[in-house]
């Protein structure tokens, strides 16, 4: 019988009871693991984080915590091949795994470096200047940030089992807050192995990181006002969790990163033959095919000037025709599988919904040529390009979480801004243009609708990280539909796990309190 995936709770690896959910290999359809948390003592995990992990982390200074984050990143880096191999079972090619696995430990390394360079000695952040509050200067105020005395429950989506976990774990560790990671069932075996590597490296104090494989019924009931929930996943689950009494009544700090209908805009200057035209086409194809389009930041809506839409369609279709779908690692394969056949069915349903007012310009949702695997047993789907008119509704409402994007024309900048706004808030947008006036107009008019905007042209392309890659130094998150959160964003992500307190006192007293805090590092 297929083995049950363990959880790491209160200092030991434990397995849940019962049948659970059997997770199938995305490529072969064979069972990989069973996932169940039935019978696990989730309350013990919460207690352990509070009574063991929290005090241990709070007793360390920022520099030591930054060292731990670096050490766990290096441990993962040394054993990355193991994670690549498991990720292949979830449908990821080597290039996809680099985004998740290398992107994960790379993010942790950046956090470690930001922590070393940007956080003070000791474990208290003194923020801003001393504010004089009385005429004589005998009464002053000062903001400080200290570690919250709770835990961070981190609920992750299936598409980034390693990166998604590490981008939440690293700032929590730096802030001195213990983590309970809850990966999505579908790829929990990849996340479990990453946690195992970290724990085997022995670089974290006990209780700093626990893992629940499977559901977490009742766990939010145990959370209180010093705790945090960081959620990544669908808008529906985000809404459910946001409405939980832990959040609405006990003020658990809650952040959501949800789905989003990200857009990319081609500037009117970027006609065929310009470097920007090619960058746009290449960027769109990369976003459609990287991780088989299962990226929260992928381009779902592609806006181009009406006059070039046929040329863009042709150029994108020509590149998509070169994509080889198949088993990760098989000869010539450039795009792997979706995470499972349920997900493929879901994407097909979404494409059908999109076709209410869009038409397929490239690809066939019902069949695909596959190299090195059975197209039906594995969760394969070829890339699908749709085209819609300016009055179409569904491209601004339906997220097909796969290799799917919709091309739409625009006639002028005002109409373009209106079209962008119909997505109701996105994680990432891009504008591909070499015209500073156009870039300025679009960026400033749509900045409030985005967490991040890339302006791409011939001058920054060589070093650009691309439309879909969040950087830990910068905001990852977005308004409205994107969840309203800011998950990454430099040291702000660390401060998010800390409490800001205004201390009011006499200047000498304040100095002595802060001095003591400094000495206690
Ligand atoms: P999902 O079904 O909402 O699941 C997300 C996570 O929530 C999983 O770990 C899931 O666990 C857990 N969950 C579900 N119900 C829960 C509950 N009642 N209480 C506590 N946890 C619960 O989303 P998904 O299908 O995994 O992810 C795909 C979506 O995520 C896409 O829409 C994508 O756009 C979005 N996404 C966003 C970002 C971002 O950064 N904004 C990144 C990646 C993906 P189980 O798997 O065990 O049910």
């Amino acid at each position: 019988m297929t083995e049950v995936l363990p959880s790491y709770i209160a200092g030991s690896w434990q397995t849940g009871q019962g049948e659970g959910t059997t997770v199938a290999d995305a490529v072969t359809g064979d069972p990989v693991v069973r996932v169940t948390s039935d019978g696990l003592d989730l309350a013990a995990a919460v207690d352990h984080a509070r009574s063991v992990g929290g005090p241990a982390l709070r007793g360390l200074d920022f520099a030591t915590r930054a060292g731990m984050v670096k050490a766990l990143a290096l441990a993962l880096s040394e054993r990355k091949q193991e994670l690549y191999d498991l990720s292949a079972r979830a449908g990821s090619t080597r290039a996809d795994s680099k985004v998740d696995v290398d992107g994960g430990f790379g993010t942790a390394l950046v956090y470690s470096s930001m922590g070393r360079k940007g956080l003070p000695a000791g474990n208290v952040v003194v923020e801003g200047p001393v504010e004089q509050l009385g005429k004589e200067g005998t009464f002053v105020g000062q903001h400080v940030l200290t570690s919250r005395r709770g835990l961070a429950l981190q609920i992750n989506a299936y598409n980034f089992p390693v990166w998604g976990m590490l981008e939440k774990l690293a700032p929590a560790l730096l802030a001195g807050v213990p983590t309970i990671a809850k990966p999505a069932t579908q790829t929990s075996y990849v996340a479990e192995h990453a946690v195992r590597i970290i724990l085997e490296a022995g670089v974290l104090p006990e209780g700093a990181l626990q893992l629940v494989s499977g559901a977490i019924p009742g766990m939010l009931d145990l959370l209180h006002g010093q705790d945090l929930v960081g959620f990544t996943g669908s808008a529906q689950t985000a809404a459910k969790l946001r409405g939980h009494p832990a959040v609405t009544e006990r003020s658990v700090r809650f952040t959501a990163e949800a789905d989003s209908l990200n857009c990319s805009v081609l500037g009117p200057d970027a006609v065929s033959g310009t470097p920007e035209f090619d960058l746009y086409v290449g960027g769109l194809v990369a976003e459609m095919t990287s991780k088989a389009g299962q990226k929260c930041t992928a381009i779902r809506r592609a806006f181009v000037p009406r006059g070039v839409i046929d040329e863009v369609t042709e150029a994108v279709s020509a590149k998509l025709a070169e994509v080889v779908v198949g088993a990760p690692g098989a000869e010539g394969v450039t795009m792997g599988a979706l995470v499972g056949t349920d997900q493929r069915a879901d994407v097909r349903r979404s494409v059908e919904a999109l076709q209410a007012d869009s038409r397929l310009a490239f690809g066939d949702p019902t069949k695909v040529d596959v190299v090195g695997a059975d197209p039906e047993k594995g969760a394969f789907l070829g890339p699908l390009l749709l085209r819609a008119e300016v009055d179409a509704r569904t491209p601004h409402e339906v997220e097909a979480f796969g290799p799917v994007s919709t091309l739409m024309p625009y006639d002028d900048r005002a109409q373009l801004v209106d079209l962008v706004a119909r997505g109701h808030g996105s994680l990432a947008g891009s504008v591909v243009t070499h015209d500073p006036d156009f870039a300025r107009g679009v960026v400033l008019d749509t900045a409030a609708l985005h967490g991040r905007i890339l302006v791409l042209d011939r001058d920054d392309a060589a070093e650009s990280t691309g439309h879909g890659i969040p950087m830990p130094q910068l905001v990852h998150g977005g308004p409205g539909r994107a969840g309203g959160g800011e998950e990454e964003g430099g040291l702000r992500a660390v401060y998010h796990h800390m409490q800001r307190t205004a201390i009011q006192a006499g200047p000498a007293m304040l100095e002595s309190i802060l001095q003591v805090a400094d000495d206690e590092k």
Side-chain angles (χ1 to χ4, degrees):
M1 193 163 177
T2 311
E3 283 185 13
V4 172
L5 189 70
S7 297
Y8 186 76
I9 289 178
S12 68
W13 287 99
Q14 306 174 19
T15 46
Q17 309 296 312
E19 190 62 21
T21 304
T22 300
V23 178
D25 187 307
V27 179
T28 62
D30 296 338
V32 181
V33 282
R34 285 186 298 125
V35 180
T36 167
S37 60
D38 287 359
L40 294 179
D41 189 350
L42 300 182
V46 170
D47 279 351
H48 193 65
R50 288 206 182 113
S51 60
V52 179
L57 283 170
R58 290 197 297 274
L60 304 172
D61 64 5
F62 289 123
T64 308
R65 294 181 206 150
M68 288 172 354
V69 172
K70 181 175 182 182
L72 72 84
L74 295 178
L76 289 165
S77 162
E78 274 165 29
R79 294 176 62 182
K80 63 185 179 183
Q81 186 60 47
E82 296 165 34
L83 294 167
Y84 292 166
D85 293 344
L86 284 174
S87 303
R89 303 203 71 182
S92 293
T93 63
R94 176 59 65 88
D96 297 338
S97 290
K98 279 190 184 274
V99 180
D100 184 38
V101 177
D102 298 43
F105 65 71
T107 292
L109 286 173
V110 173
Y111 268 113
S112 168
S113 162
M114 287 191 294
R116 266 195 327 276
K117 291 179 193 153
L119 292 170
N123 54 18
V124 175
V125 176
V126 178
E127 191 184 59
V130 174
E131 299 288 349
Q132 185 171 327
L133 301 172
K135 272 193 185 145
E136 305 301 323
T138 61
F139 184 56
V140 297
Q142 171 74 66
H143 285 118
V144 299
L145 295 160
T146 55
S147 308
R148 284 168 80 95
R149 302 173 72 86
L151 62 96
L153 172 61
Q154 298 164 3
I155 303 173
N156 294 312
Y158 69 78
N159 54 342
F160 283 109
V162 180
W163 173 83
M165 184 167 68
L166 289 173
E167 59 137 9
K168 293 186 176 78
L169 175 63
L173 286 173
L174 279 171
V177 175
T179 286
I180 298 178
K182 186 260 173 281
T185 293
Q186 197 74 42
T187 50
S188 47
Y189 55 95
V190 184
E192 187 263 0
H193 198 68
V195 168
R196 199 171 276 279
I197 292 172
I198 293 170
L199 295 177
E200 283 175 6
V203 294
L204 296 183
E206 178 45 48
L209 172 61
Q210 298 178 83
L211 170 80
V212 180
S213 302
I216 48 167
M219 198 182 249
L220 268 82
D221 298 334
L222 305 173
L223 302 189
H224 61 48
Q226 288 291 306
D227 300 321
L228 304 102
V229 173
F231 170 79
T232 303
S234 64
Q236 295 94 308
T237 313
K240 195 188 285 179
L241 299 181
R242 188 180 272 121
H244 191 282
V247 180
T248 57
E249 291 170 19
R250 297 194 295 281
S251 307
V252 165
R253 199 171 273 181
F254 178 77
T255 333
E257 305 289 321
D259 56 32
S260 110
L261 295 165
N262 314 289
C263 70
S264 184
V265 173
L266 180 67
D269 58 304
V271 294
S272 177
T274 61
E276 285 72 28
F277 184 92
D278 295 341
L279 287 168
Y280 186 85
V281 170
L284 180 53
V285 171
E287 289 302 319
M288 288 177 71
T289 55
S290 167
K291 287 196 67 81
Q294 300 167 110
K295 268 191 5 218
C296 50
T297 49
I299 300 166
R300 303 291 171 206
R301 301 178 300 149
F303 299 118
V304 303
R306 186 176 292 281
V308 296
I309 191 162
D310 288 336
E311 276 171 290
V312 175
T313 309
E314 254 174 58
V316 172
S317 301
K319 277 196 175 288
L320 291 177
E322 292 168 9
V323 171
V324 180
V325 179
E331 183 72 28
V333 166
T334 55
M335 188 171 99
L338 297 178
V339 76
T341 47
D342 286 352
Q343 178 63 22
R344 178 174 61 187
D346 205 41
V347 177
R348 283 177 173 156
R349 272 194 298 277
S350 299
V351 170
E352 210 175 300
L354 285 167
Q355 285 178 278
D357 49 15
S358 316
R359 67 176 174 81
L360 265 174
F362 180 90
D364 181 344
T366 61
K367 70 174 197 307
V368 57
D369 292 331
V370 169
V371 174
D374 181 322
E376 280 317 306
K377 286 189 181 150
F380 297 99
L381 185 74
L384 302 167
L385 181 69
L386 294 112
R387 259 181 72 164
E389 256 308 322
V390 283
D391 56 355
R393 191 178 46 81
T394 53
H396 309 288
E397 291 176 1
V398 176
E399 182 200 41
F401 202 58
V404 185
S405 195
T406 305
L407 265 176
M408 283 170 275
Y410 68 88
D411 297 296
D412 54 47
R413 213 180 79 202
Q415 184 192 53
L416 171 67
V417 171
D418 176 57
L419 287 167
V420 172
R422 286 194 218 167
H424 295 292
S426 295
L427 296 168
S430 53
V431 188
V432 187
T433 180
H434 196 47
D435 175 351
D437 288 335
F438 181 77
R440 186 184 314 114
V442 177
V443 168
L444 298 182
D445 283 352
T446 67
L449 300 163
H450 291 101
R452 176 170 63 84
I453 302 183
L454 161 73
V455 181
L456 187 64
D457 70 358
R458 64 196 75 178
D459 294 336
D460 68 357
E463 283 202 296
S464 163
T465 42
H467 170 104
I469 303 287
M471 303 304 290
Q473 300 89 334
L474 301 175
V475 167
H476 174 57
R481 180 171 178 147
E486 279 190 14
E487 199 165 67
E488 294 189 328
L491 290 175
R492 276 171 304 177
V494 179
Y495 302 156
H496 171 75
H497 292 80
M498 305 181 80
Q499 181 60 41
R500 177 173 293 106
T501 306
I503 302 180
Q504 295 176 300
M509 180 65 86
L510 177 68
E511 201 176 320
S512 123
I513 290 167
L514 297 180
Q515 182 63 47
V516 172
D518 200 35
D519 289 347
E520 279 178 355
K521 52 187 170 249

